[in-house]
Amino acid sequence: MLFPVKVQYYKGLTKALKVAAAVIPMPKPTLFSGADSSLELCDAISHLGIKKLLLVTDKVLVEIGLLKDIQARLEKHGIKVTIYDGILPDPTYDQIEKGLALLNKHQCEGILAVGGGSPIDASKAIAARATNNKSLEKMAGLFKLRKAPLPLFVVPTTAGTGSEVTIVSVVSNPETHQKTPIIDPKLVPAMAALDGKLMLGLPPFVTAATGMDALTHAIESYISTNATDETRSYALAATKLIMENLETAVHDGKNLEARQNMAMASYYAGLAFTKAGVGYVHAIAHNFGALYATPHGLANSIVLPHILDYSKSDIISELATLAEASGLKAGRESNNKLAEKLIARIRAMLVSFEIPATLDSLKTEDIPRIAELALDEAHANYPVPKYMDKRTCEALISKMVA
């Protein structure tokens, strides 16, 4: 059990974050949305007079030819494109430095990120390193960027991370296996394109895991003690879109309407958690990713129902509202019943998507350390609705052992 004094201290930290979020301007990218909006973004980049661009992505997207139309459109405008496809899931410091070296070698004036959360996060870090004479370690934390990053444009190819609108870049330290979050409003991209057409070939399991990532963002931001009317509005919109479209996107991947709606849901969820924050789900999932290289969406999917079970007593009203937005209300039902229906619905979705309830790589002997790191992360940064101590966290994580 946590001592009341500690809880009050943690609440004080998160209250300070809420004040900062209200006072500090949170920019939004100029948004292009719809099929082929990625090409509209290329046209807009050309209007800025940029002639040399670093295109940050991963090898898979290059190999399947997803970038050809984008590259051709940029080159049509006289923009020389240098492709950096060395980004892997959970990008590390060395990947950032290699991208920076390539950017400097070719004297690129801006960066276009095309891909999931990893290429976008990496691009944010590269853009920040290009203009700030600081190591990644010294940029870690809140508001450490003195200068605006290099102009950054993004095209997400998964509907999950919301990184196209967030103030965060997460990079992994390959030596300590810990995540390094760089948090600054200057990291928000200048422009973003939500092009559902680019997501049509996304495999079902990736679609499911990234979609559940977006749902986690929406739910954790809604139950956050730092939520506002604005963030709740975005979170409810995201939840509604996800519940109406994710299953279609998973089981009928060529459905452009479902893909486009999921892209917008991810964007809304990103707007919500940028101001309201996340919680224990992300804290535990981050440490699964750092220790076992677990994909973030998969980690969130496994952890989410356990945290909702634990927190339910303190957020019944919020869960009931989310359940209603999810289309689960049938007649006059109590808030408690609706909260139970929402958690059950999430578990049923995971079964439908063949997402496991446990993590194969999770080792019992690692649990104390994971719990310690997760609680340190959460209590210093996240406005959780119900606090837990280390013993409770360890018991909760133990339920996820295969």
Side-chain angles (χ1 to χ4, degrees), residues 357-377:
T358 55
L359 183 63
D360 286 344
S361 53
L362 178 58
K363 297 180 178 64
T364 302
E365 59 266 29
D366 293 335
I367 290 176
R369 180 60 175 160
I370 292 171
E372 180 182 1
L373 292 172
L375 293 181
D376 285 347
E377 177 181 333

Side-chain angles (χ1 to χ4, degrees), residues 24 46 87 104 170 212 250 281 284 286 290 294 341 346 351 381:
I24 298 171
S46 73
I87 303 301
N104 289 332
V170 180
M212 292 303 297
V250 172
V281 180
I284 295 171
H286 282 158
T294 309
K341 287 178 74 172
I346 290 169
V351 172
N381 301 286

